Amino acid sequence: MPADRSEALPTARRPHRLAGGQPGLLEPGASTDPYRLRLYRILRTDFPLGHDPGLGAWLLSRYEDVVLALTDPRFTGYPHDGAPRGPVPAPLGLCRGSLVCTPLPESGTAPAATDTPADTATGPAPAPADPGPAPAVERAAYVLARRIAGRDRADLVGEFCRWLPAGADAVAAGLSSPDPNAPPRPGGGADDCARQTGLRERALASFLANMLDDPDLLAAVAGGGAGAGMLLRRAWAETLRRDPPVQIVLRRTRTEVRVSGGTLPAGEAVACLIGAAGRDPARFAAPDRFDPLRADADPLFSGPAGCPAALLGRLEAEHGLRALLTAMPRIRWAEGFRPTSSGVLTRGPRTLLVRPS
């Protein structure tokens, strides 16, 4: 297992406190690392329900309370009454909770054939299968990986993670190679979720950081075999639990709601701290550890299965890592480099320095 990058913190450092001792979510230092500042831990244990004036919302940090706010019809979208309500499509993972979210086919999905006057006795010819976005993602990933394979040093965030979402879209549009400067081109019914390439960049960077931290895990994936694909999917889901790209989801109460720390008033903004809930020790064993094989995995953090962004993000992680390992079998961290993440609203590594060979 990789080294545990936990919430542990030297005694000298503490999060800034508001009146009454509650730590401030947007106060100095919190955005750098709410985990190492113990901010999430303090909120879960000492302030499971408190109001943050900087954010203008009540804070929920325990897993059971966050799940309630994301799934219970007594909560609605924020800030409008017409925003998503109920269990789906509350924003989560890479999904922004759009009401017009149209699923993308993953691969090999053929539209249903319909009878027409031109049909022969044997019936209409089957419609060609829609290959989905997977071929475009795979091709873009291999193009990008080969571009940096011969270098002594490369930054995977700036030279791979940032390019892949837009590059896959360019390939799907019929271009010869990924163009990182081209605006994302929605297709196949993808809506605002799929256009948020910055979130997929952060999620991909966190995924690669977790995988590169564990050489044994990389070797298992590189070896292929029947279990490699499932291992990749579990590692992606574990990344979204442990290192979610969106740390806070805003909801609003439709009526008074009782939670573990007290009662939320009606008509109030509620900040669901996804980053805190995903590492709640009351729900997950050794919650700070990256463990794709954990027995207490939870699909909640992956977002809706039919969301275009959720599918594209997973495909970019799977094909992206395979492309890197194929082009750079000996890829490893640059000497002296350790990945660090930042951000309290959205979060992910800003740099991933590696030695490709």
Side-chain angles (χ1 to χ4, degrees):
M1 299 301 298
D4 186 10
R5 300 200 301 268
S6 69
E7 297 180 6
L9 179 74
T11 305
R13 296 182 61 195
R14 291 292 184 271
H16 180 82
R17 300 298 183 107
L18 302 174
Q22 177 184 321
L25 197 63
L26 301 181
E27 296 299 323
S31 63
T32 303
D33 198 333
Y35 297 105
R36 286 188 57 82
L37 277 174
R38 294 178 181 163
L39 187 150
Y40 289 157
R41 180 182 298 178
I42 293 171
L43 287 173
R44 284 193 308 260
T45 57
D46 300 338
F47 301 93
L49 179 61
H51 191 270
D52 190 310
L55 194 62
W58 295 86
L59 305 182
L60 296 180
S61 52
R62 291 177 176 173
Y63 174 88
E64 61 176 306
D65 295 334
V66 168
V67 170
L68 181 72
L70 292 173
T71 60
D72 194 290
R74 289 175 294 174
F75 293 82
T76 184
Y78 182 89
H80 305 298
D81 283 332
R85 61 188 60 181
V88 176
L92 191 62
L94 296 173
C95 180
R96 294 175 62 83
S98 172
L99 289 171
V100 294
C101 191
T102 303
L104 288 173
E106 180 167 0
S107 63
T109 302
T114 57
D115 293 335
T116 68
D119 291 343
T120 65
T122 58
D130 187 338
V137 172
E138 182 178 23
R139 179 179 173 187
Y142 277 90
V143 169
L144 294 172
R146 285 194 294 267
R147 285 182 177 179
I148 61 178
R151 302 183 189 177
D152 293 331
R153 184 181 173 103
D155 174 15
L156 292 183
V157 172
E159 301 179 68
F160 190 81
C161 300
R162 194 165 297 154
W163 287 39
L164 183 53
D169 186 76
V171 171
L175 302 180
S176 59
S177 62
D179 178 6
N181 298 314
R185 172 184 173 272
D191 71 335
D192 184 53
C193 282
R195 288 194 290 267
Q196 301 301 315
T197 58
L199 294 181
R200 304 208 314 265
E201 171 194 327
R202 292 180 181 86
L204 177 59
S206 293
F207 171 78
L208 294 178
N210 286 328
M211 298 297 288
L212 285 167
D213 261 352
D214 191 340
D216 293 336
L217 190 57
L218 277 184
V221 171
M230 180 57 67
L231 183 58
L232 277 173
R233 293 196 177 198
R234 292 183 67 103
W236 171 246
E238 174 71 344
T239 294
L240 294 178
R241 176 203 68 85
R242 183 183 180 275
D243 303 294
V246 177
Q247 295 273 303
I248 299 175
V249 170
L250 292 177
R251 304 288 278 166
R252 188 171 61 80
T253 54
R254 296 169 55 82
T255 182
E256 284 191 355
V257 181
R258 178 73 182 176
V259 293
S260 67
T263 300
L264 284 164
E268 291 287 319
V270 178
C272 302
L273 306 187
I274 307 298
R279 299 202 193 186
D280 189 342
R283 171 61 178 83
F284 301 100
D288 295 326
R289 182 181 302 149
F290 179 74
D291 181 8
L293 301 180
R294 63 171 54 250
D296 54 4
D298 190 332
L300 174 74
F301 296 95
S302 298
C307 174
L311 171 60
L312 289 169
R314 179 175 60 77
L315 291 174
E316 286 158 4
E318 294 176 7
H319 290 296
L321 182 61
R322 287 195 180 105
L324 290 172
L325 291 175
T326 299
M328 299 163 262
R330 298 179 57 202
I331 187 172
R332 59 199 183 279
W333 293 130
E335 184 175 356
F337 176 79
R338 291 294 304 151
T340 58
S341 297
S342 62
V344 74
L345 299 178
T346 62
R347 185 172 177 80
R350 298 297 187 259
T351 304
L352 294 177
L353 298 180
V354 297
R355 293 187 62 184
S357 60

